Amino acid sequence: MFARRLVRARRASAAAVTLAVSLALCAGAAARDDGDGPARPVGIGGGRHVLLDCRGSGSPTVVLVSGAGGASDEWTHIADAARPESGLKPDPSAVLPQVARFLRVCAYDRPGTIRLDGTPNGSTPVTQPTSAAAGVRDLRAALAAAGEQPPYVLVGASWGAMIASLFARAEPARTAGVVTVDGASPFLKDTLTPAQWSAWMDKIRAADPGKGLERPDYPAAVRELRGAPAPPRGLPAVVLTSDHPWDLSVGGGSTWPAWLAAQRRLADDLRARHVTSTDSGHGIAVEQPRLVVRAILDVVGQTRAGQER
């Protein structure tokens, strides 16, 4: 999938983003790590299970939803700024371990996703393609089976933003906030030309046929999101958008302007704070993990402030 390849190919910038302002939002609320081990299989019914990696403690629980084809380890790795050719490496400054210092945080392996070392994950395979609604059902079942309590802050990267956005609409009482990380937007169907959209769908359908790898059904996801209730008014939300141009390479002509237009519409739809100065390509979570953590803590701070009123 395009998102997976871009996450692996991104190059980290030299700029550093401080966490001081965001961590102040959680002053006095830092949580201990509860000593959880590595990802564990969680039964979700029908003889199926998914791997779930949960760490830390504190509410609301942060749920990290990877991009297309990406497993939970996308949130534990970063790009090496000093050696960009070396690819991604595990690091304590990555999003998941950093958030776990302050809050309960979970990431999971969707069916058909691939770990960064190229091995399949341990989640039960399903028939592909898959939709955003299927992702919401699996995520809801996994969190419930693992005893992970709401409310949740949903953090979706690329295709994961479609799942996170639909979850917020389907489960408003259980959703405390949303962060999209250069997230795929249902508005791409409108901002891409018909030729670009058609070519992109053809490209996805042609990817790894018969191998059981994750293939997002974007047309179904667009219908699901457009048929769902509007995002809850007042829901804290942040939309992070790449500012280093990249391209879907489909249909002739650059898709970058369409991506930016869809990001603006997504931010308007979520009534979100829109962060467009990210010094990053599509893989913001691995290029600028501190920026993602700051956005998460910003949403958590808004949630807590609302609860105190």
Side-chain angles (χ1 to χ4, degrees):
M1 286 300 129
F2 83 95
R4 188 62 166 175
R5 292 197 302 270
L6 284 166
V7 166
R8 288 175 173 173
R10 295 299 90 189
R11 298 294 181 256
S13 68
V17 181
T18 180
L19 284 175
V21 174
S22 294
L23 297 185
L25 291 171
C26 294
R32 63 179 176 81
D33 188 278
D34 62 2
D36 281 7
R40 65 192 191 278
V42 175
I44 60 172
R48 294 178 55 215
H49 65 267
V50 298
L51 262 63
L52 191 67
D53 183 353
C54 294
R55 310 179 193 180
S57 59
S59 181
T61 299
V62 176
V63 181
L64 306 173
V65 189
S66 303
S72 58
D73 57 351
E74 284 191 355
W75 302 99
T76 60
H77 287 61
I78 65 168
D80 189 342
R83 300 175 57 225
E85 72 285 352
S86 65
L88 305 184
K89 63 175 184 178
D91 195 276
S93 69
V95 173
L96 193 154
Q98 279 298 304
V99 175
R101 294 175 59 202
F102 306 97
L103 295 160
R104 185 69 169 171
V105 57
C106 297
Y108 69 114
D109 294 353
R110 291 191 307 277
T113 56
I114 300 295
R115 302 190 67 79
L116 288 168
D117 63 4
T119 60
N121 70 63
S123 299
T124 308
V126 298
T127 301
Q128 299 292 337
T130 186
S131 69
V136 169
R137 287 193 297 270
D138 282 0
L139 180 54
R140 183 194 296 120
L143 292 170
E148 298 297 335
Q149 297 299 311
Y152 309 117
V153 171
L154 281 300
V155 182
S158 196
W159 163 249
M162 303 284 271
I163 298 172
S165 296
L166 186 59
F167 191 105
R169 289 164 164 80
E171 299 281 357
R174 298 185 178 192
T175 303
V178 173
V179 178
T180 66
V181 186
D182 214 37
S185 162
F187 301 107
L188 264 173
K189 191 174 189 302
D190 304 320
T191 59
L192 290 170
T193 68
Q196 288 172 331
W197 176 262
S198 178
W200 186 28
M201 297 305 102
D202 289 344
K203 189 174 185 178
I204 292 171
R205 281 191 291 269
D208 299 304
K211 296 182 180 179
L213 300 182
E214 183 178 53
R215 282 192 295 126
D217 188 339
Y218 279 95
V222 170
R223 293 192 299 270
E224 290 160 355
L225 280 159
R226 290 181 175 175
R233 185 169 293 276
L235 181 72
V238 175
V239 168
L240 300 175
T241 297
S242 55
D243 57 3
H244 294 178
W246 61 276
D247 204 274
L248 291 169
S249 301
V250 293
S254 174
T255 61
W256 175 243
W259 184 268
L260 294 182
Q263 290 287 294
R264 290 191 292 271
R265 291 183 62 176
L266 177 63
D268 290 343
D269 187 53
L270 291 171
R271 304 180 185 90
R273 180 169 69 88
H274 191 187
V275 180
T276 57
S277 296
T278 53
D279 193 18
S280 178
H282 188 53
I284 299 174
V286 296
E287 293 184 53
Q288 299 291 355
R290 293 180 180 178
L291 185 60
V292 178
V293 174
R294 187 168 69 178
I296 293 169
L297 295 179
D298 180 29
V299 166
V300 169
Q302 292 180 57
T303 297
R304 290 176 172 170
Q307 291 171 345
E308 291 170 358
R309 286 199 295 267

